Amino acid sequence: MSDTPNGSASASEHPFPLLSTIDDPTDLRLLPSSDLKQLASELRGFLIESVSRTGGHLAAGLGVVELSIGLHYVFDTPHDRIIWDVGHQAYPHKILTGRRERMARMRQQGGLSGFPKRTESPYDTFGVGHSSTSISAALGMAIAAKQKGEQRQIIAVIGDGALSAGMAFEALNHGGPLDPDVLIILNDNEMSISPPVGAISSHLARLLSGGLYTKMREGSKTALRGMPQLRELVGRWEEHVKGMVMPSTLFEELGFNYIGPVDGHDMDAVVATLRNMKRMPGPRLLHLITQKGHGYEPAEHAPTAYHGVTPFDLKTGAVPKQGGRKSYTQLFGDWLCERAEADARLLAITPAMREGSGMVRFSERFPERYFDVGIAEQHAVTLAAGMACEAMKPVVAIYSTFLQRGYDQLVHDVCLQGLDVTFAVDRAGLVGADGPTHAGAFDYSYTRPLPHIVIMAPADEHECWWMLETAYAHDGPTMVRYPRGSGPGVTVDKLGGALLPIGKAEIRREGQEVALLAFGSRVAAAEAVGERLNATVVNMRFVKPLDDLLILEMAERHRLLVTVEENAVAGGAGSAVSELLAEQGVLVRCLHLGLPDRCQEQASHEQQLAACGLDDAGIEEAVRAELRDLGLEQTRLKGASAG
């Protein structure tokens, strides 16, 4: 058995002697409570060492070490359900639930997912990746348990950032009056809801969650049921007392019995409060104050930088600088600042992704024109629509997978009204280690049917810059869709470039028999295959509107049209090409290459492309197979082998 991230060390010299005995929560629950502080120290140390080797999400997990131990120590998991919101914070949970040895392959092909995943473990009761879903899921599980007559505890752990999303409040608003047996744990790691917690408030939390107070509270409801005026007076007095010594009674108004705030790094207080709240009936909310990155000094000082990291030096915390080409995200950040300098109408919006979307420099240089709306994608889109109504020029920087959350607003508030909003859509296509929850696999498919929108996909860095310029200059909704990471390394020519004619593609290479119609990130791969097969290669540039005339010309001059895209085949750019050909009554063999109808699990981006047949080799193999089926002679193709 291997107990360290590298799978070495004997029990006698084990650096984590207590943690090494915990193979699942049943082992944890055999420990005396006096051992839990040591276990927390070892768990934190193991987490830091493990992530330093593999990379991944670190700071959030460091903040919930004590909570993770407390939950599995107090509750009968997996019979009792724990739902982790977002999932960045779930690494300690994974280590405690039988996956310690597999942490060495975190976020790698065939290894652990970076997020809770139902097919990975019975302890992962709800799959996540997007935020603010935990309370709704917990409420659904509680209702189902009640319907089936099952006695189980349902616990949702939500961070204060995730609580900024409307969906969380929708669930709270619905859940309170239903009086479900649900425990919501608010992991407040930014101290954004209440001031720092001290000994008095921790003592009060223990008191209010204790049996005496609970019995008095529930007993008074029964005793005063027939005296509504007196019951109302007592209720007001209780709210007044609690309001004097703790945060707002918002959660009480929604029907949840609020307890806290509690120091989330006080192991004894966490366990004692969880034990008390386990015995309390109905909807409850526990407010924990935690520190993101707690216990690792570099992460404490820079929690955002250590939210998601590449492998780093364990002793110093130094993260190797990523060399090489500038990423599309960085290029967008440069463009945003330059365009803002030239046009005072530009307003930039992000749903809590300032760093990820390359907007740090913009936020510092133009703070009055920068709007971080929190995890509220729906609001971000309609906010932009309102700005556009007043002749401003909003730019919404958003990940492809997160734009899905604002789809109704994209349809109804922007596209149906034809408003001038520019969407800079990052992380389009496969995203490597973050896996299927963060893959931008569907944006061609879900935006293509919308009226008025122009959809662009750059083949390289230079084209991305000028597509952003074209999108911004266009009077209507536009979307520039670019992948994670860097492009092929083409230098941006800011002086020699020009706005692109809307809906016009470009021929990159002339060939015979086969025309490769490539979109965005797959243009470079198509060019490599085109050289080997003597095929025509077209950089399509626009998904909507398509270059209809050029496509029809390609169909007339070639025996086979091959569309290549890093988007789902279903409803994607290839589908648009086939729709055009069918509408025009053109009969030509078509092969659509894109993401298959399955979730692409975490791996490196290159491994994912290969698995989908979208790397050079996969594209070439698929085209050759189609040519053999057509009966075309391989000798007519440059570089082709016989048979």
Side-chain angles (χ1 to χ4, degrees):
M1 176 179 290
S2 59
D3 291 314
T4 71
N6 273 345
S8 60
S10 65
S12 60
E13 60 183 14
H14 206 290
F16 309 108
L18 194 56
L19 180 63
S20 67
T21 67
I22 308 300
D23 290 323
D24 61 51
T26 57
D27 296 327
L28 170 61
R29 290 190 279 270
L30 295 176
L31 295 178
S33 58
S34 57
D35 283 349
L36 297 185
K37 290 181 182 178
Q38 178 188 338
L39 179 63
S41 177
E42 291 185 17
L43 177 55
R44 185 167 275 112
F46 181 90
L47 176 62
I48 296 167
E49 182 176 327
S50 178
V51 177
S52 76
R53 299 176 188 274
T54 65
H57 295 105
L58 179 63
L62 290 174
V64 295
V65 165
E66 288 80 7
L67 174 60
S68 302
I69 292 172
L71 285 171
H72 287 293
Y73 190 69
V74 171
F75 294 95
D76 182 22
T77 57
H79 175 77
D80 291 335
R81 313 298 199 207
I82 302 175
I83 303 103
W84 294 92
D85 211 290
V86 183
H88 298 148
Q89 55 192 338
Y91 286 19
H93 157 82
K94 292 197 175 206
I95 295 168
L96 292 171
T97 53
R99 287 167 279 182
R100 182 181 67 251
E101 298 176 28
R102 298 175 61 194
M103 289 295 290
R105 292 190 55 78
M106 171 62 73
R107 289 160 43 96
Q108 299 174 23
Q109 189 174 40
L112 292 178
S113 168
F115 305 94
K117 187 175 180 181
R118 282 171 54 82
T119 56
E120 188 177 286
S121 170
Y123 291 93
D124 292 357
T125 60
F126 194 75
V128 294
H130 289 188
S131 80
S132 316
T133 59
S134 61
I135 302 176
S136 296
L139 183 59
M141 291 179 184
I143 292 171
K146 185 176 182 179
Q147 291 289 322
K148 294 189 293 182
E150 296 175 348
Q151 296 296 317
R152 68 173 82 247
Q153 296 282 335
I154 312 292
I155 307 103
V157 183
I158 186 167
D160 54 350
L163 199 63
S164 68
M167 182 177 178
F169 282 98
E170 290 172 10
L172 287 169
N173 184 58
H174 177 224
L178 295 179
D179 200 35
D181 282 326
V182 170
L183 170 60
I184 310 300
I185 298 178
L186 174 58
N187 172 31
D188 182 1
N189 57 25
E190 295 289 346
M191 296 188 179
S192 59
I193 297 177
S194 68
V197 58
I200 294 178
S201 56
S202 289
H203 175 73
L204 177 65
R206 290 200 207 187
L207 176 65
L208 293 177
S209 66
L212 176 62
Y213 173 77
T214 299
K215 289 178 182 178
M216 291 175 60
R217 188 176 191 272
E218 297 303 315
S220 67
K221 288 182 180 180
T222 302
L224 300 176
R225 187 169 294 144
M227 297 176 282
Q229 291 180 327
L230 183 56
R231 181 180 177 184
E232 181 180 355
L233 176 63
V234 172
R236 288 180 179 176
W237 172 84
E238 178 189 32
E239 288 183 6
H240 177 69
V241 171
K242 294 176 76 173
M244 290 172 60
V245 289
M246 63 179 56
S248 166
T249 55
L250 167 65
F251 299 112
E252 294 276 357
E253 293 292 336
L254 290 170
F256 286 77
N257 186 13
Y258 173 96
I259 301 296
V262 173
D263 182 351
H265 301 304
D266 183 336
M267 192 76 253
D268 293 336
V270 169
V271 169
T273 306
L274 287 175
R275 279 175 168 160
N276 286 336
M277 297 194 78
K278 182 179 180 180
R279 294 190 289 267
M280 295 169 63
R284 296 142 286 159
L285 188 139
L286 170 60
H287 184 179
L288 289 184
I289 300 294
T290 63
Q291 179 187 29
K292 199 169 184 178
H294 185 76
Y296 188 54
E297 188 173 351
E300 290 180 353
H301 291 308
T304 299
Y306 284 85
H307 171 73
V309 292
T310 57
F312 60 91
D313 186 287
L314 181 64
K315 293 182 179 179
T316 66
V319 180
K321 291 185 178 180
Q322 300 296 310
R325 298 187 292 265
K326 181 173 288 189
S327 70
Y328 282 107
T329 301
Q330 292 169 324
L331 186 145
F332 165 73
D334 292 344
W335 172 84
L336 190 66
C337 288
E338 287 198 21
R339 180 46 48 200
E341 276 194 351
D343 190 348
R345 297 175 299 163
L346 187 151
L347 305 175
I349 302 167
T350 179
M353 296 305 297
R354 184 183 74 148
E355 288 78 14
S357 292
M359 301 177 75
V360 173
R361 191 155 59 92
F362 179 90
S363 69
E364 293 169 349
R365 290 183 60 186
F366 305 98
E368 73 285 353
R369 294 158 66 184
Y370 167 74
F371 300 90
D372 185 342
V373 302
I375 303 174
E377 294 86 356
Q378 294 174 308
H379 170 56
V381 175
T382 304
L383 177 69
M387 292 172 175
C389 286
E390 298 301 322
M392 300 304 282
K393 295 281 287 183
V395 176
V396 179
I398 191 168
Y399 289 10
S400 169
T401 185
F402 298 152
L403 184 57
Q404 295 165 188
R405 293 164 64 98
Y407 187 61
D408 181 64
Q409 289 67 33
L410 178 64
V411 176
H412 187 273
D413 299 335
V414 176
C415 289
L416 294 191
Q417 301 188 86
L419 293 174
D420 186 4
V421 179
T422 299
F423 291 91
V425 179
D426 202 337
R427 275 36 171 210
L430 300 169
V431 292
D434 279 339
T437 60
H438 283 60
F442 310 111
D443 53 73
Y444 285 168
S445 305
Y446 69 70
T447 57
R448 200 169 59 78
L450 305 184
H452 302 124
I453 195 168
V454 173
I455 307 169
M456 294 175 252
D460 53 51
E461 295 89 341
H462 172 78
E463 197 164 76
C464 185
W465 183 280
W466 285 100
M467 282 186 175
L468 289 166
E469 287 282 276
T470 302
Y472 189 80
H474 180 71
D475 186 16
T478 53
M479 182 176 101
V480 180
R481 185 234 205 212
Y482 45 89
R484 181 179 189 173
S486 58
V490 176
T491 301
V492 176
D493 185 354
K494 300 177 185 178
L495 298 177
L499 298 182
L500 304 179
I502 300 293
K504 292 298 179 183
E506 66 162 352
I507 298 176
R508 289 277 180 106
R509 186 188 190 282
E510 291 280 10
Q512 298 177 350
E513 303 288 4
V514 180
L516 298 170
L517 311 182
F519 295 84
S521 64
R522 295 296 83 210
V523 171
E527 287 186 288
V529 173
E531 285 294 323
R532 293 197 287 269
L533 298 182
N534 190 28
T536 297
V537 178
V538 180
N539 171 21
M540 290 302 298
R541 286 181 167 169
F542 291 85
V543 177
K544 184 176 184 178
L546 287 172
D547 192 335
D548 295 357
L549 293 178
L550 185 57
I551 293 172
L552 295 174
E553 178 189 335
M554 293 295 107
E556 184 178 347
R557 294 200 287 114
H558 298 81
R559 298 277 300 275
L560 173 65
L561 298 187
V562 182
T563 63
V564 190
E565 60 188 300
E566 200 171 337
N567 184 86
V569 171
S575 293
V577 172
S578 283
E579 289 164 13
L580 169 66
L581 296 173
E583 181 183 310
Q584 297 297 319
V586 176
L587 296 178
V588 64
R589 186 74 165 256
C590 288
L591 172 63
H592 299 313
L593 302 179
L595 303 181
D597 189 20
R598 65 173 184 268
C599 296
Q600 199 60 43
E601 299 301 337
Q602 77 276 356
S604 71
H605 187 225
E606 292 74 19
Q607 290 170 328
Q608 289 179 324
L609 289 173
C612 295
L614 289 178
D615 60 349
D616 297 8
I619 295 169
E620 181 177 352
E621 181 182 351
V623 174
R624 287 187 183 276
E626 201 75 8
L627 289 172
R628 286 193 293 270
D629 195 47
L630 281 169
L632 295 178
E633 294 181 8
Q634 295 296 305
T635 54
R636 298 183 62 187
L637 301 174
K638 178 183 176 182
S641 59

